[in-house]
Structure formats: C-alpha cells, structure tokens
C-alpha cells in the first residue's frame, strides 16, 4: 500500500513538473550584431503576450529593410527536460512575424518557445542612394526624402533597386511611391532600372501604392519585393501596384505579384480621348464605373453595329469597344481581375479568345502592324481603314482593330451605330 502511495505521489510530481514547464515564461534573447542595438521590453514572456522591440542604429547606419529577425528556438528532441536549441536550418514557421509600430519600434507575439532576436544594420551609403518620386496617398502633395538604394546589375549595366527607404520622420504618412525607369550614376550616365530586389519595401508600412514606370517591357520584380509585412488577417498590408496600361497583364501575372493580383490591387489608368475607344488585355479586367462595353459587327457598307455586353468583366484576349457615360477626357481605372485559368506565373497570350459571338474586333495585346484594306482603327468616334503599308506604323498595345472579312462591301470610314434595345 505504501509503495502504491509513493508511486501516485511521484506521478503527481511529474505531472506538476511538466505543467510548470508548459506554462513557464519563454526567454527573449537579444543576439548582438555590429552597428546597432536591439532592446526588448521583456526578457521573458508567456505565450501570446506582446513583446516590444526598440531598434537603435549606430551613427551613419540603418536597419536594413526586412532585417529584424525573431527566430523560434526549437525544443530539444534528445533532452529529458525542457531543453532548447536554436533552429539548425531555416524552415516555415522558424521565424515570428514582426510588426512595425513606429519609426524605431516593432512588436511580436511570443510563441510557445524561446526566441532569439537580432537585426542587420547597413551603412547609409549616399553614393548608392537616388531620390525617387512620392506623393501623399491622394496624390495631391509631393513627399520629399524617399530614396532607393541601387546597385549595378551585371554586365548589361542595368540597375537593381535593392531597397526603398522612407525616413523615420515620415513614419505614419500614407504615400504613393514611383519607381523610376532610369537612374543617373556617379559619372552622369543614365542607366535603366531592370529589377527590384526581394524585401525592397519590407517594413515601409506607410506605402500604400507603387507606380511602375512607362517601359517597353516589364521590370523584373523579385519574390517579396513589394511585401510590406508578414502579418495575417486584417492587419496584413497589400500594396496597390499601378502599371502602364500596355503592361497590365504582364505585371498582373507575375508570380511575385500573386497576392496583389488576387486582392484586385494590380491596376492601370486609361484616358478616354473620345467617347468611344477600343480596349483589349491579356487578363480579365473589371469594368470601370460609368463605362459600358460592346462587341461590333457590320451593319451595312458604312456602319458598324454595337452589341452591348451586360457584364462587369471584360474577358481576357478580346477586343471590345468602350463607351464613356460622360464627356470624353476622363481617366478610368482598369483593374486586373483574377481568373483561375490565368494564374500567377502564366505567360500572357496574344491570341484572339473570341469570347463574344460575331465580334469583329481583334485584340492588340502586343503593339503590332496591321495590313491596309481590311483593318480599321477608331478615331474621333468612327472607324477608319488602315491605308498605309508602312511597317513602322503600329497599333499600340491594349487597343483593338476592326477586321471586316469576306466579300462584304465597306467604305474607308465606318460609322458607329448603337443598336436599339
């Protein structure tokens, strides 16, 4: 009987000991790194509590974007007690999400293990910094002081944007930043921007929109380049990426912009010079407000009939005619709309999808030359036949051409005739 009582007591002590381990505070260890100091408001904390970190760079240095790390310390698999060891290799879940709360402070939620904290500090090398354009969120006021750290990208002489830096005194200012198409090096040579590095925007929580420049082809955006944080749920930030209209599909389908695309935050602006204008794109596009769109068919030798399409989405790889509700001259927002048939990483097609029955409009996904005689372009609210065979004359991307086929008779000008409904 006495042995049974002792056995029960030892069992209870073991359970109490394991419970004490389970509910013990987890340690916060600061790993010293050169050129800056990170401090924590707690040396230990229970799982689920918030820990605040303060970052103090040395004079002439700054915390590199995305370079404040809180790493979990995994439980030892070969220990009888609550022993711990540092993660031996990076893995999903090894690092804890860090949230920036002010110019110099960050927070994280304590996990169910000890953590090690450190930052990587880099020198403020003014020779590698270029000033880039920025405005307040509504675009009304310029924001000064935003810079980019750049490097020469290989033998081609192109420029890679390593980081976009928003000064600490601008923390809390919501802004739009503009990626330059070129930068000037120390020798005064103009170099094209060809890529943007991973984590270029990490931690810059005030940036709400990035405007890509007008370029012949898209700038390479590396995975995570426009990632602001690792938060989850409603506190996670996804920036708007505003692109040139001709490159909307290219940027929307970049794997690096998958999250932006799925969130409906890859956009372009289109200015309607006249009431009627043609449009096409390599991805689905959500119809702007106060705009309707139509397919076209030949009515007679001098008129084109418009067939209204009652949908909010312009399907990818189709030529359509757009009609403004108000006077011409407005700028409309074109939003790339996610489509399961066009996932991130896809290559934009240039083939005519022919989604609208009988439609004589052909998409121009890439700028192209069209032959004289059977192809028409819209100008001043009417279609005019292409008359010249000069191959230098090309129709811009994201437009559409009217293609009249067969033995039908037509004039050099085809008027737009709205169908009665």
């Amino acid at each position: 009987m006495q042995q049974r009582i002792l056995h029960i007591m030892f069992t209870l002590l073991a359970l109490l000991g394991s419970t004490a381990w389970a509910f013990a505070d987890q340690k916060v260890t600061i790993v010293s790194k050169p050129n800056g100091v990170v401090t924590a408001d707690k040396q230990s904390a229970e799982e689920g509590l918030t820990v605040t970190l303060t970052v103090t760079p040395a004079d002439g240095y700054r915390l590199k974007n995305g370079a404040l790390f809180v790493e979990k310390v995994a439980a030892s698999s070969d220990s009888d007690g609550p022993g711990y060891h540092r993660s031996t290799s990076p893995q999903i879940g090894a690092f804890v999400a860090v949230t920036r709360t002010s110019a110099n402070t960050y927070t994280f939620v304590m996990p169910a293990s000890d953590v090690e904290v450190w930052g990587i500090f880099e020198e403020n090398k003014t020779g590698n910094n270029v000033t880039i354009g920025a405005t307040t969120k509504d675009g009304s006021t310029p924001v000064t002081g935003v810079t980019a750290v750049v490097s020469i990208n290989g033998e081609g002489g192109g420029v890679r944007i390593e980081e976009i830096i928003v000064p600490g005194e601008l923390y809390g200012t919501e802004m739009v930043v503009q990626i330059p198409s070129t930068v000037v090096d120390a020798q005064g040579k103009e170099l094209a921007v060809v890529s943007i590095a991973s984590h270029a925007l990490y931690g810059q929580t005030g940036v709400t929109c990035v405007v890509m420049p007008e370029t012949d082809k898209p700038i390479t955006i590396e995975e995570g380049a426009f990632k602001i944080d690792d938060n989850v749920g409603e506190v996670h930030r996804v920036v708007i990426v505003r692109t040139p209209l001709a490159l909307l599909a290219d940027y929307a389908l970049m794997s690096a912009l998958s999250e932006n695309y799925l969130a409906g935050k890859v956009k372009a602006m289109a200015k309607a010079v006249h009431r009627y204008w043609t449009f096409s794109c390599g991805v689905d596009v959500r119809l702007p407000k106060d705009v309707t769109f139509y397919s076209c068919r030949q009515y007679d030798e001098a008129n084109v009939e418009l067939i209204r399409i009652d949908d909010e989405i312009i399907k990818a790889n189709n030529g359509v005619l757009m009609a403004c509700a108000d006077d011409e001259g407005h700028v409309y927002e074109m939003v790339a709309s996610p489509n399961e048939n066009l996932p991130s990483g896809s290559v934009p097609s240039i083939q005519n999808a022919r989604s609208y029955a009988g439609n004589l409009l052909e998409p121009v996904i890439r700028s192209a030359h069209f032959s004289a005689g059977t192809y028409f372009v819209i100008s001043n609210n009417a279609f005019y036949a292409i008359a010249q065979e000069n191959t230098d004359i090309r129709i811009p991307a994201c437009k559409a051409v009217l293609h009249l086929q067969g033995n039908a008779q037509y004039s050099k000008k085809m008027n737009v005739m709205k169908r009665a409904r």
Side-chain angles (χ1 to χ4, degrees):
M1 181 68 179
Q2 187 177 7
Q3 288 181 341
R4 181 176 177 81
I5 292 171
L6 287 172
H7 177 73
I8 292 171
M9 289 177 64
F10 282 126
T11 301
L12 288 171
L13 286 171
L15 289 171
L16 287 170
S18 63
T19 302
W21 289 341
F23 288 98
D25 285 356
Q26 319 301 332
K27 294 180 181 178
V28 179
T29 301
I30 304 296
V31 179
S32 178
K33 295 290 182 180
N35 305 315
V37 175
V38 179
T39 58
D41 69 335
K42 299 178 181 69
Q43 293 182 334
S44 62
E46 290 184 10
E47 179 188 1
L49 289 183
T50 297
V51 178
T52 298
L53 304 173
T54 301
V55 176
T56 309
D59 288 344
Y61 287 82
R62 57 179 293 275
L63 180 71
K64 183 176 174 64
N65 283 2
L68 180 60
F69 300 101
V70 177
E71 185 177 12
K72 297 178 184 178
V73 180
S76 176
S77 59
D78 57 359
S79 173
D80 294 330
Y84 293 96
H85 65 85
R86 188 167 175 270
S87 300
T88 56
S89 62
Q91 56 185 322
I92 295 175
F95 292 92
V96 180
V98 178
T99 301
R100 189 178 187 183
T101 55
S102 78
N104 300 311
T105 60
Y106 301 76
T107 62
F108 70 91
V109 177
M110 195 71 189
S113 68
D114 291 2
V115 295
E116 290 185 345
V117 180
W118 72 95
I120 296 176
F121 299 89
E122 63 181 8
E123 189 177 359
N124 283 323
K125 296 181 178 179
T126 55
N128 290 354
N129 283 30
V130 296
T131 300
I132 62 174
T135 65
T136 51
K137 185 179 179 180
D138 62 4
S140 63
T141 307
V143 174
T144 59
V146 180
T147 60
V149 179
V150 300
S151 62
I152 304 300
N153 190 26
E155 296 179 1
V159 167
R160 183 173 187 250
I161 293 180
E162 302 289 345
E163 297 179 85
I164 294 171
I165 302 172
V166 178
E169 59 268 22
L170 292 176
Y171 179 82
T173 302
E174 292 191 324
M175 67 182 70
V176 176
V177 299
Q178 296 151 1
I179 304 297
S181 59
T182 61
V183 299
V184 178
D185 67 9
Q187 288 72 43
K189 184 179 179 181
E190 189 174 49
L191 302 173
V193 174
V194 297
S195 63
I196 302 174
S198 178
H199 287 89
L201 266 179
Y202 197 90
Q204 305 300 350
T205 54
V207 177
T208 61
C209 177
V210 178
V211 179
M212 302 305 295
E214 293 281 350
T215 52
D216 292 334
K217 59 182 181 179
I219 292 171
T220 299
I221 301 175
E222 297 179 13
E223 292 291 338
F226 291 163
K227 188 176 184 180
I228 301 295
D229 57 49
D230 290 315
N231 298 332
V232 296
E234 294 180 358
V235 295
H236 180 52
R237 299 169 187 262
V238 179
V239 298
I240 296 168
V241 181
R242 189 174 298 155
T243 82
L245 186 62
L247 297 176
L248 178 59
D250 299 270
Y251 283 113
L253 296 180
M254 277 189 182
S255 59
L257 296 180
S258 173
E259 187 178 9
N260 311 74
Y261 175 44
L262 292 174
K265 291 192 173 183
V266 181
K267 306 178 179 182
M269 310 305 289
K271 184 175 182 179
V273 179
H274 299 290
R275 175 172 172 76
Y276 292 113
W277 45 292
T278 59
F279 177 76
S280 65
C281 190
V283 291
D284 289 5
V285 172
R286 183 164 296 280
L287 193 67
K289 292 182 179 180
D290 300 324
V291 172
T292 52
F293 73 107
Y294 303 84
S295 64
C296 293
R297 69 184 182 191
Q298 187 172 0
Y299 182 77
D300 56 29
E301 68 280 359
N303 293 284
V304 172
E305 184 179 27
L306 306 188
I307 310 299
R308 180 169 174 171
I309 301 169
D310 291 317
D311 198 349
E312 295 181 352
I313 300 293
I314 302 168
K315 294 180 181 178
N317 301 99
N318 288 278
V320 296
L321 188 74
M322 312 284 279
C324 311
D326 300 318
D327 294 336
E328 59 267 15
H330 288 266
V331 176
Y332 294 95
E333 186 176 74
M334 316 297 287
V335 182
S337 182
N339 181 329
E340 61 181 11
N341 296 320
L342 289 168
S344 295
S346 301
V347 177
S349 170
I350 61 172
Q351 301 301 314
N352 189 352
R354 303 187 187 280
S355 300
Y356 308 118
N359 187 23
L360 297 178
L361 287 171
E362 293 186 6
V364 185
I365 306 301
R366 293 280 185 270
S367 177
H369 167 75
F370 290 87
S371 302
T374 61
Y375 288 98
F376 291 68
V377 294
I378 198 161
S379 176
N380 197 20
N381 302 318
F383 284 100
Y384 293 85
I386 295 176
Q388 300 181 50
E389 285 294 348
N390 186 342
T391 56
D392 290 335
I393 298 176
R394 302 172 69 84
I395 306 302
C398 287
K399 299 294 185 181
V401 293
L402 180 70
H403 189 191
L404 299 182
Q405 303 168 321
N407 297 320
Q409 298 295 315
Y410 44 81
S411 64
K412 292 183 178 180
K413 176 184 177 183
M414 302 294 291
N415 297 309
V416 172
M417 185 186 76
K418 211 168 182 180
R419 185 180 185 184
R421 298 192 65 187

